[in-house]
């Protein structure tokens, strides 16, 4: 008997793996994938991520007066739920708000691409990152129905296949998704308890330190040692960075494990001491620019929600 024609390259192998691992019917999986379309717009989008911009151009995208004010209003509206979940997971609630603010403007812009199209396109037609995205596609097909906001072929999200207010990839839904409202479904699009708890759980499971620092500004002297870091994992005691010419602008524990980010700001170079919680944010998105934007947005939201105003935001970072 001749092999069935594949709609997408590698579809047969993928279907056989999912069917083997889950017991799902190969016919229904093939039908689902036959309905997915390769999207050129997705291939174009992944080639120009915003994180390629310098900090001076990246920051204004996310630290707008509207996003700050919307975040303050959102925090105030959902304060009881946010603070309850924040306490349960040991994660400051303003960081939960800032994540959904940066990711989807508080749930308003969750993505227009079909998740299935996005993951088929990147997993089966984009060699540079095919391994990662094929694994995400496989995970999506393997997730139980009650882990998703609706049928697989109706889900929409980002060009990378992330979905819901917190933009979770399928593996993050599997590993960190929480049914916080107890309705038997993990719904990251329609359930605020599930959305907030899933973000908080993600941070907690990645090592968030309750009450810990995220980032603090540093001042470099003229002879400061140039430092390049490959990731944001804290790797020196703060006093080592001081010895290399980077002075804290607030009182900090000299033994605190620290890293350093050097970023091109609007008024010249900015230097930031970064700590474990900053590193945790970079597990959500590897860019240090992303993590600093989340941090600064969270700080502005917390100040505004607690009646301090946002005009002091720059001075209190």
């Amino acid at each position: 008997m001749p092999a069935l024609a594949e709609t997408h390259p590698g579809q047969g192998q993928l279907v056989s793996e999912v069917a083997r691992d889950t017991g799902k019917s190969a016919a229904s999986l093939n039908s689902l994938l036959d309905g997915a379309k390769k999207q050129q717009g997705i291939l174009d989008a992944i080639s120009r991520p915003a994180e390629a911009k310098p900090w001076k151009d990246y920051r204004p995208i996310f630290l707008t007066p509207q996003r700050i004010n919307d975040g303050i209003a959102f925090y105030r509206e959902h304060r009881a739920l946010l603070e309850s979940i924040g306490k349960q997971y040991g994660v400051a609630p303003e960081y939960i708000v800032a994540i959904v603010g940066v990711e989807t403007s508080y749930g308003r812009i969750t993505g227009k691409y079909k998740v299935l199209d996005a993951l088929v396109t990147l997993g089966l037609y984009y060699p540079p990152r095919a391994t990662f995205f094929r694994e995400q596609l496989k995970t999506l097909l393997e997730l139980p129905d009650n882990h998703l906001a609706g049928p697989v072929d109706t889900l929409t999200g980002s060009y990378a296949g992330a979905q819901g207010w917190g933009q979770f990839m399928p593996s993050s839904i599997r590993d960190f998704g929480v049914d916080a409202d107890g309705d038997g479904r993990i719904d990251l699009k329609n359930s605020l308890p599930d959305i907030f708890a899933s973000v908080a759980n993600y941070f907690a499971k990645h090592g968030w330190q309750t009450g810990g620092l995220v980032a603090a500004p540093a001042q470099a002297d003229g002879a400061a040692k140039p430092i390049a870091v490959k990731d944001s994992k804290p790797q020196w005691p703060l006093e080592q960075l001081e010895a290399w010419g980077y002075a804290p602008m607030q009182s900090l524990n000299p033994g605190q494990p620290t890293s350093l980010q050097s970023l091109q700001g609007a008024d010249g170079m900015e230097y930031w001491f970064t700590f474990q919680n900053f590193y945790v944010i970079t597990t959500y998105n590897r860019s240090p620019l992303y993590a600093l934007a989340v941090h600064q947005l969270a700080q502005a939201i917390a100040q505004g929600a607690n009646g301090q105003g946002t005009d002091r935001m720059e001075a209190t970072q």
Side-chain angles (χ1 to χ4, degrees):
M1 182 173 147
L4 293 172
E6 294 184 317
T7 304
H8 306 288
Q11 177 174 326
Q13 178 63 32
L14 177 65
V15 165
S16 69
E17 290 172 25
V18 174
R20 179 195 68 212
D21 293 349
T22 65
K24 291 184 177 182
S25 127
S28 65
L29 290 165
N30 272 312
S31 175
L32 202 56
L33 290 167
D34 288 345
K37 293 182 173 60
K38 174 189 174 187
Q39 301 278 5
Q40 185 58 44
I42 290 168
L43 296 170
D44 295 341
I46 201 166
S47 66
R48 50 170 195 270
E51 282 79 7
K53 299 175 184 291
W55 174 236
K56 69 183 176 64
D57 297 327
Y58 184 90
R59 185 182 188 278
I61 298 172
F62 298 105
L63 273 291
T64 63
Q66 179 174 351
R67 202 180 303 246
I68 292 167
N69 291 331
D70 288 351
I72 292 165
F74 186 87
Y75 188 114
R76 286 175 171 161
E77 182 182 355
H78 303 293
R79 185 187 291 265
L81 177 61
L82 281 161
E83 294 186 352
S84 166
I85 287 172
K87 185 174 182 183
Q88 179 184 349
Y89 289 94
V91 174
E94 61 266 26
Y95 287 90
I96 303 172
V97 178
I99 287 286
V100 298
V102 167
E103 291 290 345
T104 61
S105 289
Y106 313 104
R108 283 200 298 272
I109 306 167
T110 56
K112 65 183 189 296
Y113 296 98
K114 290 188 76 166
V115 169
L116 194 59
D117 286 357
L119 294 177
V120 163
T121 298
L122 296 174
L124 304 180
Y125 295 96
Y126 185 61
R129 296 194 63 197
T131 302
F132 171 77
F133 284 109
R134 184 188 187 277
E135 187 59 33
Q136 295 300 320
L137 174 58
K138 181 171 182 279
T139 302
L140 178 73
L141 296 173
E142 291 180 347
L143 282 172
D145 292 343
N146 69 351
H147 280 49
L148 298 168
V152 170
D153 57 353
T154 67
L155 300 171
T156 56
S158 74
Y159 67 77
Q163 58 193 285
W165 290 31
Q167 294 288 278
F168 271 38
M169 295 297 287
S171 62
S172 290
I173 298 173
R174 179 193 66 204
D175 297 340
F176 309 109
V178 177
D179 171 22
D181 60 14
D183 69 350
R185 176 178 290 276
I186 296 171
D187 187 341
L188 302 186
K189 186 174 182 183
N190 305 296
S191 167
L192 285 178
D194 292 6
I195 291 161
F196 297 162
S198 296
V199 172
N201 184 47
Y202 183 99
F203 277 4
K205 292 278 174 59
H206 281 84
W208 186 270
Q209 295 177 342
T210 304
L213 290 168
V214 176
Q219 196 160 9
D221 67 33
K225 173 182 176 177
I227 293 171
V229 293
K230 73 176 194 307
D231 62 31
S232 303
K233 195 171 286 192
Q235 51 187 304
W236 304 284
L238 181 74
E239 59 195 356
Q240 177 65 72
L241 289 168
E242 285 192 78
W244 287 338
Y246 299 91
M249 296 164 73
Q250 65 197 74
S251 179
L252 296 169
N253 172 3
Q256 171 110 340
T258 312
S259 188
L260 185 83
Q261 291 294 331
S262 308
L263 303 173
Q264 184 65 52
D267 301 314
M269 290 301 294
E270 294 181 18
Y271 301 95
W272 292 86
F273 295 127
T274 62
F275 306 98
Q276 171 66 15
N277 288 348
F278 186 93
Y279 175 67
V280 171
I281 300 172
T282 67
T283 67
Y284 209 97
N285 177 315
R286 283 180 294 187
S287 168
L289 306 183
Y290 174 91
L292 193 55
V294 167
H295 169 61
Q296 292 191 354
L297 181 59
Q299 296 289 291
I301 288 167
Q303 288 168 18
N306 294 320
Q308 296 173 300
T310 56
D311 56 337
R312 293 171 57 250
M313 183 178 70
E314 294 294 346
T316 56
Q317 294 310 309

